Amino acid sequence: MSDPLLPAVPGFLPADDSGAQIKRALSWTHTARFLTTASKLSELPASELPEIAFVGRSNAGKSTAINVLAQQKRLAFASKTPGRTQHINLFELGPKDAPDAMFADLPGYGYAAVERNAKLRWQEVMATYLAVRRNLRAIVILVDSRLGFTEIDTKLLDFVAPRIGNGSVTLLALLTKIDKLNRSQSAAAVERATTVIERVTTDEADVSVSTFSSLSRAGVGDCALFLHQCVHHRGTPNGS
Ligand code: GDP
């Protein structure tokens, strides 16, 4: 029998083989390595590789989540060093000699202490990135499960609604720090988030809500699997 971890044709593993699929997806997310940082869109390398953007309010748990997915302690903390908080950081994934995807860590938003000019500049960088980045395949929006979607999160959703709605970009709403909630609170948080993302849901849209904890690792494997499938089991961006 062939090795279940090395299927000849990705995407054709039997449905009951989810453990092996998760393992394979995690070994893929573990390959994430820093590629470059950019303070404006024109500094980002043009790429044909499918890109997954991570967005969320400051303190939502985005850096920790990226580090846990990558199984590296400090990978995403480059974005927290002074002077880099407004930057887009790109990570490359897959074999070193044949990278197959990128993660884009976008600046956290909603941090009250950021001065007005920096906020406006951030909005411009972020908005332009989400609207025009050609190879954008998926957006992971991280939301603290205790807070749910805030006004600024829903504004961002509305902003990306056209690309989500026409199915060219997949959306994953990740409810973070789920270890802080009990089972019924967690179910209620998922229900509330599902209602919110209905605003971007169309027949073509590919949207999901999932729970996540960097602390207990709940949902980490499922998240890795989702991202892996986004990149490996679907068509190229914009359906071309
Ligand atoms: P970011 O600003 O979105 O990058 O947020 P961070 O990743 O820096 O996390 C913000 C705070 O939340 C830190 O104190 C983390 O230790 C904490 N945190 C992150 N993920 C989790 C989690 O899954 N569970 C709990 N309980 N705390 C978390």
Side-chain angles (χ1 to χ4, degrees), residues 57-64 77 80 177 179-180 213-215:
R57 279 176 69 101
S58 297
N59 215 41
K62 178 163 60 69
S63 312
T64 316
F77 283 104
K80 298 220 147 180
K177 310 186 192 180
D179 55 279
K180 298 267 194 189
S213 169
S214 296
L215 198 74

Side-chain angles (χ1 to χ4, degrees), residues 94-174:
K96 287 222 165 67
D97 55 351
D100 56 10
M102 297 213 273
F103 283 174
D105 182 12
L106 269 65
Y109 48 84
Y111 183 55
V114 174
E115 47 109 0
R116 196 178 136 77
N117 279 347
K119 248 183 211 169
L120 291 177
R121 219 185 65 73
W122 167 80
Q123 279 169 7
E124 205 182 295
V125 171
M126 183 94 160
T128 318
Y129 170 88
L130 291 170
V132 310
R133 184 72 168 159
R134 232 177 51 79
N135 56 326
L136 183 64
R137 173 70 59 87
I139 297 171
V140 181
I141 183 165
L142 294 100
V143 172
D144 187 321
S145 56
R146 297 165 299 177
L147 296 178
F149 280 89
T150 62
E151 199 186 334
I152 189 162
D153 295 310
T154 49
K155 269 194 190 142
L156 187 137
L157 279 189
D158 290 341
F159 183 77
V160 295
R163 295 187 84 179
I164 307 280
N166 70 16
S168 60
V169 173
T170 296
L171 178 75
L172 173 63
L174 214 51

